[in-house]
Amino acid sequence: MTSGWDAVPSPYVELSREQWRALRENTPLPLTPEELDALRGVRDPIDITEVEEVYLPLSRLLNLFFVADGRLRDTVSGFLGEPVRPTPFVIGVAGSVAVGKSTTSRLLRTLLARWPEHPSVELVTTDSFLYPNAVLTERGLMDRKGFPESYDRRALVRFVQSMKAGAAELDIPVYSHLEYDILPDERQTVRRPDILIVEGLNVLQPSPAGTLAVADFFDFSIYVDARVEDIRHWFVERLFALRRTAFSDPRSYFHRYAQLDEDEAAAFAQRVWRDINEINLVSNILPTRGRATLVLHKARDHSVQRVRLRRI
């Protein structure tokens, strides 16, 4: 661990993988390789060693935050002289397309649910709050899907605010990656969990003046980080993998791209990255990294090599 304050005082501590790994202490590994296979995203090479050295220390830290949050609630209850009902501990997970934030979120949901203090953990993605394609088309936003303006921000904030206020049960839309759209006849029911994980590209964005942002209700936030060039490489690899798998399904919105030859597919992937995803990353997502409680920085091989944690 870094010793003392840096030459320029910082609210963050920077930890190498070795320093971070040591903070696992005696946290047990409640996950089998088979379970990890089910959680892993497309082209994500995460293995059990990565879980042990990166995600178990993170699981332990989040558990400590959860317990401390309960003590704070008891303090408020004692001050008011009346019970304060427990509400979900809310974790935000942000990062670029293809950086691995979905795998991180699914993995944390599984690990955290196996701590006795918080067996009920729900995961919600901001894809559920994208405007339907018909609305995006009407507004000329289909080529900006994933940009902040393509989401129903008010509905997302209302949902997290209501959960944080102690709502017993809420229904939210369901997004299909196969159909690339909101499913009009399906809903996801979220029943008040011990922990709520909210994962999405723009969850750390500040709000317009005079309004609340979804991040205002986070108790802890994580940004999954990597070099832009590495993320581009992962995005292209993932698109090629999807072309051979999900895109081959006739029901897929992207089925037509399964028929492209290698050169055409490569050109398509590079164009989508350059004209959409890189612009969104550089303009909207990356600038929010400094708002995160913790940053996981990945190397070219997807392994986390550095961790930055806000001290206070």
Side-chain angles (χ1 to χ4, degrees):
M1 185 178 296
T2 53
S3 58
W5 292 91
D6 300 326
V8 178
S10 169
Y12 299 96
V13 59
E14 297 274 351
L15 302 166
S16 68
R17 184 184 177 105
E18 291 72 23
Q19 292 166 331
W20 179 254
R21 177 178 60 201
L23 299 175
R24 170 188 174 181
E25 292 197 348
N26 297 318
T27 306
L29 174 62
L31 192 72
T32 66
E34 293 73 24
E35 288 174 313
L36 179 58
D37 285 342
L39 298 171
R40 186 186 290 116
V42 176
R43 302 294 296 177
D44 193 331
I46 187 171
D47 58 17
I48 283 293
T49 299
E50 187 83 354
V51 175
E52 291 176 331
E53 297 186 355
V54 175
Y55 293 96
L56 286 184
L58 179 53
S59 171
R60 175 176 173 247
L61 177 64
L62 290 169
N63 183 63
L64 291 171
F65 266 77
F66 177 89
V67 172
D69 186 66
R71 289 197 295 264
L72 178 60
R73 184 174 57 250
D74 291 343
T75 299
V76 174
S77 178
F79 173 75
L80 294 175
E82 61 183 46
V84 175
R85 183 172 58 185
T87 60
F89 183 84
V90 184
I91 302 169
V93 180
S96 172
V97 168
V99 80
K101 66 185 180 302
S102 296
T103 298
T104 293
S105 300
R106 289 192 295 266
L107 183 54
L108 286 176
R109 176 184 59 188
T110 301
L111 294 175
L112 290 171
R114 294 179 182 180
W115 284 83
E117 291 87 350
H118 35 73
S120 173
V121 182
E122 289 272 10
L123 170 60
V124 167
T125 74
T126 57
D127 288 343
S128 294
F129 295 90
L130 282 162
Y131 287 115
N133 286 354
V135 175
L136 294 176
T137 299
E138 179 185 338
R139 297 182 182 182
L141 294 174
M142 275 301 287
D143 286 339
R144 294 180 68 82
K145 197 168 188 177
F147 283 66
E149 61 268 28
S150 66
Y151 295 90
D152 188 342
R153 190 188 65 82
R154 290 188 179 88
L156 174 60
V157 171
R158 280 197 306 270
F159 164 72
V160 179
Q161 183 178 30
S162 297
M163 278 279 111
K164 198 62 182 166
E169 180 177 299
L170 292 172
D171 287 340
I172 61 173
V174 172
Y175 182 82
S176 167
H177 287 277
L178 184 69
E179 299 185 28
Y180 197 59
D181 202 357
I182 297 291
L183 301 178
D185 301 321
E186 292 192 29
R187 307 288 286 181
Q188 175 185 351
T189 300
V190 181
R191 296 178 176 86
R192 187 169 57 226
D194 301 312
I195 295 176
L196 174 66
I197 300 173
V198 182
E199 176 252 307
L201 300 171
N202 299 295
V203 294
L204 293 178
Q205 278 228 318
S207 64
T211 64
L212 290 169
V214 65
D216 291 329
F217 300 99
F218 292 165
D219 298 291
F220 195 98
S221 55
I222 299 164
Y223 186 96
V224 185
D225 189 33
R227 293 174 60 247
V228 173
E229 178 60 24
D230 290 341
I231 304 174
R232 180 200 64 79
H233 176 72
W234 299 336
F235 173 78
V236 172
E237 278 194 333
R238 189 177 75 171
L239 189 139
F240 268 80
L242 290 170
R243 175 172 160 266
R244 295 188 297 269
T245 55
F247 291 0
S248 64
D249 188 327
R251 297 171 298 166
S252 171
Y253 178 88
F254 294 102
H255 179 61
R256 60 190 180 278
Y257 298 114
Q259 314 306 318
L260 298 178
D261 64 31
E262 294 287 315
D263 290 341
E264 291 171 328
F268 170 71
Q270 296 285 358
R271 184 171 65 253
V272 171
W273 174 258
R274 181 190 65 242
D275 296 344
I276 300 175
N277 292 318
E278 185 174 7
I279 293 172
N280 195 20
L281 171 59
V282 173
S283 301
N284 299 309
I285 303 167
L286 189 55
T288 70
R289 180 177 58 189
R291 295 169 57 84
T293 315
L294 179 139
V295 178
L296 299 172
H297 183 81
K298 291 186 169 187
R300 176 80 170 195
D301 65 357
H302 258 288
S303 65
V304 174
Q305 294 298 318
R306 299 198 316 275
V307 177
R308 186 179 71 178
L309 174 65
R310 190 182 300 162
R311 301 174 192 264
I312 56 173

